[in-house]
Amino acid sequence: MSNAPTPTRLMLVTPLVADAEAMAFRLMQAFAGGDVAAVLLRLSEGDERSKIERVKRLVGPVQSANVALIVEAPALVATRGGADGVHLTNGPEAVAEARSSLKNERIIGAGSLRARHDAMDIGEAGVDYVMFGEPRPDGSLPLLAAVIERASWWAEIFETPCVAYAPDAESIAALVETGAEFVALGAWAFDEACDIRALVTQANVAIAAHAARKAAR
């Protein structure tokens, strides 16, 4: 349940990555800003071998920072690359297939959940987390109020952790208030104009402030 003593933690959702070296540098900057629980790696187009190589390049620096690397890719790419898990967006059948092949050896997360029943169906399929609020395939975002409502509803009722996707820095505090186990900072956090180290620090300050208020009640 969401009222467990562990505070919210951060997930970083990368833009589509073609250059693993450049992304490794940006991630090290982010980790210098404070606690990060996981990185959700999104890969640009390429053949299977090139995708696996990009995962392999990022596994070392991410895992050495005690951060989990989850890949939005087929399970084969994630496992051969040495990642900690996969993120799926194509429904319960894909989750069941991944669970069958990965057993309990890898994290399986799910996103692109447009309605409450979609989230419940995915939860019953055996995922390790659900994500709300990430960009749609056309790049548009759901209303922040809808993400807050959905994350609050899930965190209050269900045991499976949820990730609330922050569309910008200003929304982080409100999403922490939902009780979601994770708040995700998306591709916008990796923009060249963004100080990702300072952003991670800011997000952790918001998390700590929420935990202090909760403890004082």
Side-chain angles (χ1 to χ4, degrees), residues 33-193:
D35 180 61
V36 174
V39 170
L40 173 51
L41 173 63
R42 300 174 63 238
L43 299 167
S44 63
E45 289 301 316
D47 60 30
E48 185 177 272
R49 181 177 177 181
S50 74
K51 289 183 177 181
I52 292 169
E53 288 304 315
R54 277 174 271 169
V55 175
K56 285 182 176 179
R57 171 62 186 89
L58 289 166
V59 158
V62 172
Q63 293 179 344
S64 66
N66 293 316
V67 178
L69 183 66
I70 301 165
V71 186
E72 186 178 292
L76 182 66
V77 171
T79 54
R80 288 192 177 175
D84 298 286
V86 296
H87 179 84
L88 305 172
T89 59
N90 43 359
E93 290 184 3
V95 170
E97 182 179 337
R99 181 60 71 196
S100 176
S101 64
L102 300 177
K103 310 303 180 186
N104 291 317
E105 297 172 2
R106 296 285 195 282
I107 297 164
I108 299 176
S112 294
L113 307 172
R114 303 305 175 212
R116 287 190 176 195
H117 68 80
D118 293 333
M120 289 188 286
D121 287 347
I122 280 288
E124 290 175 0
V127 293
D128 296 296
Y129 70 81
V130 296
M131 179 180 285
F132 299 118
E134 75 275 24
R136 302 181 182 103
D138 64 3
S140 64
L141 288 164
L143 293 174
L144 178 61
V147 180
I148 290 171
E149 182 277 329
R150 191 62 50 81
S152 299
W153 161 72
W154 185 274
E156 182 178 356
I157 297 172
F158 298 97
E159 295 284 350
T160 301
C162 77
V163 182
Y165 182 96
D168 50 42
E170 290 70 31
S171 64
I172 292 170
L175 292 171
V176 171
E177 293 287 337
T178 66
E181 285 82 359
F182 303 93
V183 168
L185 311 182
W188 57 271
F190 292 86
D191 288 347
E192 287 188 10

